[in-house]
Amino acid sequence: EATDTPASRICRANAFAVLGAVALSPAAGLAHVQRCFRLWAVLQEAGSPASVSPQLRFAGLAWQLDRAMNSALASMAASPAADAALLQRVLLATDRLSREGDFDRPAEALHVLGAMAQNANASLGVLRRVVGLAERLAATCEEEGSECAPVAQRTLGALIRRLP
């Protein structure tokens, strides 16, 4: 059971940073990145927005934790050791987080998708699903008149260039 304290949030943010660094390490293999993803999922569940106390959200600690969580997910999406199956799991997590509102802004999800678009191991099927999610997020950016619209267009451009 997670304890929602400033110290526990800082520890989880640091753990996310380590997971992201391991995923991008040149020495990391597929098994390392798979383990990082499993640990990321456990940490993400423990730090979901539903568990955030109003005091911590006010203190900005929730934002720092969310940023570390999203950065770690983007690192796994960019990892040269990740295979198509792991990238599919990262994509599903990104889609779930975007639908549940765990991303404060669509630009955070687009960051993960952009990293995945650059990964040479992304299969054509994964890339097509990434395009679908990026289109949905881009539409959200346009509807909100958000500053993420240019990010969405760049991400979509990078994805479309990867498709045959």
Side-chain angles (χ1 to χ4, degrees):
E1 181 176 323
T3 303
D4 191 26
T5 66
S8 70
R9 292 216 160 245
I10 290 168
C11 286
R12 283 197 299 273
N14 289 337
F16 280 129
V18 169
L19 293 176
V22 168
L24 288 177
S25 169
L30 176 59
H32 297 106
V33 183
Q34 288 172 329
R35 179 173 278 166
C36 286
F37 183 79
R38 286 191 301 272
L39 292 170
W40 176 90
V42 169
L43 289 168
Q44 186 276 324
E45 197 59 38
S48 69
S51 71
V52 178
S53 71
Q55 297 83 5
L56 291 179
R57 190 156 292 284
F58 178 77
L61 291 173
W63 177 84
Q64 292 171 340
L65 180 60
D66 287 347
R67 185 174 177 138
M69 175 187 73
N70 300 336
S71 180
L73 192 59
S75 294
M76 287 178 262
S79 175
D83 66 357
L86 181 60
L87 292 174
Q88 174 68 26
R89 292 173 61 199
V90 170
L91 175 62
L92 291 174
T94 304
D95 187 29
R96 180 180 53 80
L97 292 173
S98 70
R99 290 181 191 280
E100 293 174 358
D102 281 5
F103 289 113
D104 288 336
R105 300 167 310 163
E108 293 172 349
L110 288 164
H111 177 67
V112 176
L113 298 180
M116 193 174 297
Q118 301 303 314
N119 193 320
N121 296 331
S123 69
L124 186 57
V126 167
L127 287 175
R128 285 190 176 131
R129 287 185 208 100
V130 168
V131 168
L133 179 53
E135 287 174 338
R136 180 173 62 80
L137 293 169
T140 301
C141 291
E142 294 293 329
E143 289 170 10
E144 295 175 353
S146 158
E147 78 283 351
C148 72
V151 174
Q153 293 308 317
R154 283 193 304 275
T155 302
L156 277 171
L159 287 166
I160 290 169
R161 284 190 295 280
R162 290 278 319 271
L163 294 175

